[in-house]
């Protein structure tokens, strides 16, 4: 039998259910400040999956949806949704064909314009063409600049107007003209232009129109705000929400997303790297939407680096929800995983490392941990496939830690693993409406993360989630704010403690940590009151080699009087942690715990 070297990896879907129990007595947490266990530096992290339009239409700032016209499938003519046609059938005919210059995404859009100018057979006032609303409306803000890129060819000269227009009121927010001779655009040409918005509309569309008769092809139409984080393509406000959690690791890109409902729709990393316009995109059949894969393998590695977190790459192991590759035929998948590691870590002169370098990152990424599949342990071929991956990766990259999907919390594994992946489907970290409760706080795990991280309010495939957003605004759920209370846990010391209570609604623990904000040493006591009654609580600390300082000691409380309360766009901070001074801070103190609450007592040493 093989045993794991580390304890748990928890991508958490964590709920806490409320117990109805009244406790009239005082519960006591007795803490031995002289004894404890180190919590791993990588304890607290973030888990990203392309679900709920978390990337496409969310963290990835691309404004155009279905930019390559591939979402309708490879056969033509095809559906171009959500693109729409400007003009009637007498003035324009829009179709798709397979004449794109890109070998991995051959579909292009063809516009045949029948009208011309403003006289005989004149075009409508604004011209004819196509319009894209993005992901439930593009956010265009006054004074901000947007880079629009597209590929074009034509049978004659072109005179195109590229505009951002309010979808609800038709007001033009920004516009520019693109003119070119017929000779120049007789073959595919890349057009880049910069638009500066003169007004704001959070529900806008990108329009490409003309008043000239002719035939024009368009492909790979992109619009990106210039103010993405470090120019890396991440929507700045959503990036900051993740950064504020101070994750020590970043698990990506899934989740069930990497498996696919069927293998033909699984996430395959090689299709998501290289120039954006050359990526074929794919239909994520698990969560039922198309993604252009602008947020691909490279972007996940880059995001981890930008967050200052270790990347944890989850790759497909030849298994989906409905089909799987026999172990005897798994070799190509193993090669794909090895190539992926070379892409992340290889020399810029290696085959895949050179592609990474060409994408602007000659230095290797700090990839140390990989996961073989996602929640696949019960699949017939998993353990056989896993051993093939494990053996090959350890042969070429012996330092990489490998995560098994199989749970060793109750009995040892019969396969080798550095960590094992234990999913807890008990809901959300925080008390969330009627589903809150029935959870456990664990003494110590090696890595812990919450999922799903994001949800676009227009496409809630899963509830609950940590961060809710639409085209221009966002808020954190109570679970998001609870995670912030745990951000200092990585690298802290879990102190020995004993909870003396007859209450079934109290859970408590204590850590010692060095604050990342002021560099001072604190003893933090976290207490959860699951119940609907106020609880009396006593903190008794032994073995502390310094006095607790009243000035600088604080209390953080996350609670609400109604278990059904939640945050919203109109009240984004209805339930957020409230920090106040702790006037009675000492080694022996009595406190009161509100119902439905999480309280953190930060005692300055």
């Amino acid at each position: 039998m093989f045993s794991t070297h580390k304890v748990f990896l928890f991508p958490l879907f964590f709920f806490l259910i409320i117990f109805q129990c009244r406790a009239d007595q005082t519960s006591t947490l007795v803490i031995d400040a002289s004894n404890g266990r180190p919590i791993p530096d990588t304890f607290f992290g973030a888990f990203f999956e392309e679900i709920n339009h978390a990337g496409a239409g969310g963290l990835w700032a691309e404004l155009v949806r279905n930019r390559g016209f591939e979402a309708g499938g490879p056969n033509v003519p095809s559906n171009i949704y959500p693109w729409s046609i400007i003009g009637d059938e007498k003035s324009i005919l829009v179709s798709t064909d397979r004449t794109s210059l890109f070998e991995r995404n051959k579909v292009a859009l063809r516009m045949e314009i029948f009208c011309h100018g403003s006289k005989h057979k004149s075009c409508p006032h604004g011209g004819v063409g196509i319009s894209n609303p993005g992901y439930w409306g593009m956010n265009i803000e006054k004074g901000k600049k947007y880079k629009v890129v597209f590929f074009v060819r034509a049978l004659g000269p072109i005179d195109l107007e590229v505009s951002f227009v309010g979808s609800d009121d038709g007001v033009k927010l920004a516009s520019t003209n693109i003119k070119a001779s017929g000779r120049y655009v007789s073959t595919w040409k890349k057009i880049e232009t910069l638009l500066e918005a003169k007004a704001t509309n959070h529900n806008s569309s990108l329009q490409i129109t003309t008043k000239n008769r002719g035939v024009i092809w368009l492909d790979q139409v992109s619009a990106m705000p210039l103010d993405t984080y470090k120019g890396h393509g991440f929507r700045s406000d959503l990036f900051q929400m993740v950064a504020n959690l101070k994750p020590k690791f970043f698990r990506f890109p899934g989740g069930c997303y990497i498996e696919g409902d069927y293998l033909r729709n699984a996430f395959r990393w090689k299709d998501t790297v290289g120039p954006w316009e050359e990526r074929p995109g794919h239909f994520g059949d698990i969560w039922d939407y198309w993604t252009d894969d602008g947020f691909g393998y490279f972007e996940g590695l880059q995001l981890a680096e930008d967050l200052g977190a270790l990347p944890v790459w989850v790759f497909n192991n030849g298994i989906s929800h409905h089909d799987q590759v026999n172990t005897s035929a798994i070799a190509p998948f193993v090669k794909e995983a090895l190539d992926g590691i070379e892409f992340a870590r290889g020399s810029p002169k290696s085959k895949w490392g050179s592609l990474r370098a060409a994408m602007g990152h000659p230095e290797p990424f700090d990839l140390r941990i990989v996961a073989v599949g996602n929640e696949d342990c019960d699949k017939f071929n998993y353990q056989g496939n896993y051993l093939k991956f494990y053996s090959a990766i350890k042969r070429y990259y012996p330092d990489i830690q490998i995560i098994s999907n199989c749970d060793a919390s109750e009995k040892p594994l019969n396969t080798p693993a550095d960590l094992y992946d234990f999913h807890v489907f008990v809901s959300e970290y925080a008390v969330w409406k009627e589903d809150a409760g029935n959870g456990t706080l664990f003494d110590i795990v090696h890595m812990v993360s919450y999922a799903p991280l994001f949800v676009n309010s227009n496409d809630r495939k899963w509830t609950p989630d940590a961060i809710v957003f639409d085209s221009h605004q966002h808020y954190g759920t109570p679970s998001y704010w609870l995670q912030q209370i745990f951000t200092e846990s990585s690298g802290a010391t879990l102190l020995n403690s004993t909870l003396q209570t007859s209450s079934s609604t109290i859970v408590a623990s204590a850590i010692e940590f060095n604050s990342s904000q002021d560099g001072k040493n604190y003893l933090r006591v976290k207490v959860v009151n699951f119940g609907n009654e106020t609880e009396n609580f006593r903190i008794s600390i032994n073995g502390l080699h310094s006095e607790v300082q009243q000035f600088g000691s604080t209390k953080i409380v996350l609670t609400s009087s109604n278990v059904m309360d939640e945050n919203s766009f109109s009240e984004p901070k209805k339930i957020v942690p409230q920090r106040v001074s702790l006037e009675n801070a000492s080694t022996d103190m009595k406190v009161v715990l509100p119902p439905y609450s999480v309280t953190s007592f930060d005692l300055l040493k």
Side-chain angles (χ1 to χ4, degrees):
M1 291 295 209
F2 293 90
S3 62
T4 56
H5 300 296
K6 299 294 189 294
V7 187
F8 294 105
L9 176 74
F10 280 121
L12 287 183
F13 302 76
F14 203 103
F15 292 97
L16 299 173
I17 294 176
I18 313 289
F19 293 93
Q20 302 297 321
C21 177
R22 181 182 182 89
D24 296 324
Q25 76 288 339
T26 297
S27 300
T28 301
L29 183 69
V30 179
I31 302 166
D32 182 357
S34 63
N35 287 293
R37 292 176 285 168
I39 298 174
D41 291 335
T42 56
F43 173 71
F44 189 83
F47 175 6
F48 177 88
E49 178 172 8
E50 181 59 84
I51 179 178
N52 303 322
H53 276 90
L59 182 61
W60 187 243
E62 172 64 63
L63 296 176
V64 177
R65 186 175 183 179
N66 188 19
R67 70 181 184 193
F69 309 103
E70 303 288 332
N75 298 321
V76 295
S78 58
N79 187 1
I80 62 172
Y81 178 84
W83 291 90
S84 60
I85 301 170
I86 301 171
D88 58 28
E89 61 186 12
K90 295 180 180 179
S91 57
I92 185 173
L93 173 64
V94 175
S95 60
T96 54
D97 60 27
R98 293 184 55 81
T99 62
S100 172
L101 77 162
F102 302 112
E103 289 302 318
R104 294 196 295 175
N105 42 16
K106 295 300 297 182
V107 177
L109 182 130
R110 181 182 185 272
M111 298 191 303
E112 185 171 0
I113 298 95
F114 306 124
C115 60
H116 187 79
S118 56
K119 295 182 181 179
H120 183 61
K121 292 187 176 180
S122 64
C123 291
H125 174 70
V128 297
I130 54 173
S131 176
N132 188 289
Y135 298 88
W136 301 281
M138 297 181 181
N139 180 38
I140 305 300
E141 298 183 356
K142 183 178 180 179
K144 289 191 175 182
K145 295 180 180 180
Y146 303 83
K147 184 179 182 180
V148 177
V149 179
F150 60 92
F151 291 78
V152 62
R153 75 177 180 95
L155 298 182
I158 61 170
D159 184 355
L160 301 176
E161 184 175 24
V162 180
S163 310
F164 288 119
V165 177
S167 299
D168 46 4
D169 58 16
V171 173
K172 194 171 294 184
L173 308 169
S175 182
T176 191
N177 281 94
I178 304 294
K179 296 183 179 181
S181 67
R183 182 177 180 181
Y184 180 75
V185 293
S186 62
T187 57
W188 284 103
K189 293 295 185 297
K190 183 178 183 179
I191 304 296
E192 296 187 21
T193 188
L194 204 62
L195 298 181
E196 182 174 349
K198 60 186 179 182
T200 294
N201 191 314
H202 304 308
N203 181 25
S204 304
S205 298
L206 175 69
Q207 296 186 356
I208 302 177
T209 57
T210 185
K211 294 182 179 179
N212 287 2
R213 184 183 298 111
V215 179
I216 301 171
W217 285 264
L218 296 171
D219 199 9
Q220 294 300 323
V221 183
S222 170
M224 291 279 280
L226 287 191
D227 64 347
T228 63
Y229 183 78
K230 289 188 176 181
H232 290 163
F234 309 124
R235 183 171 143 179
S236 294
D237 61 330
L238 298 185
F239 171 88
Q240 194 58 52
M241 287 289 283
V242 183
N244 289 346
L245 294 176
K246 302 176 184 177
K248 297 300 183 181
F249 69 88
F250 182 74
R251 186 185 195 267
F252 77 100
C256 299
Y257 180 69
I258 65 106
E259 300 168 279
D261 211 26
Y262 292 89
L263 278 171
R264 62 178 176 268
N265 293 318
F267 179 91
R268 308 300 288 271
W269 77 265
K270 290 182 180 179
D271 287 336
T272 73
V273 295
W276 301 334
E277 62 268 20
E278 296 180 9
R279 303 179 189 183
H282 80 286
F283 177 67
D285 57 357
I286 285 289
W287 306 120
D288 198 30
Y289 61 87
W290 174 268
T291 171
D292 294 313
D293 286 329
F295 187 100
Y297 180 41
F298 176 89
E299 287 72 27
L301 292 167
Q302 183 65 69
L303 180 56
E305 183 176 272
D306 288 346
L307 290 168
L310 286 176
V312 177
W313 178 39
V314 188
F315 55 77
N316 185 280
N317 64 341
I319 295 176
S320 75
H321 283 197
H322 285 97
D323 55 347
Q324 49 187 299
V325 176
N326 289 331
T327 300
S328 61
I330 201 62
F333 286 78
V334 175
K335 178 64 164 56
E336 185 174 293
L338 292 173
D339 290 345
I341 298 172
E342 181 182 287
F343 177 89
R345 294 181 27 156
S347 161
K349 295 182 179 180
S350 65
K351 177 181 178 180
W352 293 105
S354 64
L355 176 56
R356 180 198 70 237
M359 296 179 69
H361 203 286
E363 303 82 9
F365 288 107
D366 192 14
L367 180 63
R368 307 181 204 171
I369 308 171
V370 299
V372 182
N374 175 75
E375 296 182 273
D376 292 328
C377 185
D378 62 343
K379 303 294 177 58
F380 181 78
N381 288 317
Y382 179 76
Q383 295 201 33
N385 290 3
Y386 170 85
L387 286 172
K388 295 289 187 180
F389 285 99
Y390 184 92
S391 176
I393 292 171
K394 287 296 185 181
R395 183 182 310 125
Y396 292 102
Y397 303 96
D399 63 304
I400 283 187
Q401 292 185 297
I402 300 175
I403 302 169
S404 168
N405 289 178
C406 296
D407 174 18
S409 62
E410 295 183 356
K411 62 180 180 179
L413 299 179
N414 56 10
T415 54
D418 298 299
L419 304 104
Y420 60 93
D421 183 353
F422 184 59
H423 281 60
V424 180
F425 291 93
V426 219
S427 175
E428 200 183 20
Y429 272 122
V431 174
W432 190 85
K433 300 180 73 172
E434 70 276 6
D435 283 331
N438 203 22
T440 304
L441 296 182
F442 298 86
D443 282 341
I444 187 168
V445 297
H446 187 68
M447 306 169 84
V448 59
S449 59
Y450 176 99
L453 184 61
F454 286 110
V455 59
N456 188 311
S457 61
N458 296 284
D459 185 37
R460 291 179 181 265
K461 299 292 185 184
W462 189 286
T463 298
D465 310 275
I467 302 166
V468 185
F469 67 90
D470 62 13
S471 71
H472 68 286
Q473 57 189 340
H474 65 268
Y475 64 87
T477 64
S479 291
Y480 172 84
W481 294 109
L482 179 61
Q483 290 179 75
Q484 288 209 346
I485 299 176
F486 285 83
T487 57
E488 298 285 5
S489 294
S490 297
T493 298
L494 179 69
L495 298 176
N496 291 347
S497 62
T498 302
L499 180 61
Q500 300 172 349
T501 183
S502 60
S503 171
S504 61
T505 69
I506 299 295
V507 176
S509 65
I511 64 171
E512 185 177 20
F513 70 97
N514 184 263
S515 172
S516 60
Q517 295 184 343
D518 61 19
K520 297 179 180 180
N521 292 320
Y522 289 84
L523 192 154
R524 170 173 285 178
V525 178
K526 293 189 289 289
V527 191
V528 180
N529 179 6
F530 300 139
N532 60 2
E533 299 288 341
T534 298
E535 292 273 359
N536 296 317
F537 194 77
R538 179 187 172 201
I539 299 171
S540 178
I541 305 171
N542 302 313
L544 193 64
H545 299 303
S546 61
E547 294 295 325
V548 170
Q549 301 180 39
Q550 287 199 3
F551 182 77
S553 294
T554 60
K555 176 177 69 173
I556 304 172
V557 182
L558 179 66
T559 188
S560 181
S561 59
N562 187 343
V563 71
M564 297 297 290
D565 283 346
E566 57 180 311
N567 295 332
S568 62
F569 290 128
S570 59
E571 294 182 281
K573 294 188 176 181
K574 184 174 184 177
I575 307 172
V576 296
Q578 303 293 332
R579 184 186 291 270
V580 297
S581 297
L582 192 57
E583 297 178 356
N584 64 332
S586 70
T587 56
D588 195 327
M589 52 187 292
K590 294 182 179 179
V591 296
V592 174
L593 306 175
Y596 309 137
S597 67
V598 179
T599 306
S600 175
F601 300 94
D602 292 355
L603 307 178
L604 179 61
K605 296 168 58 180

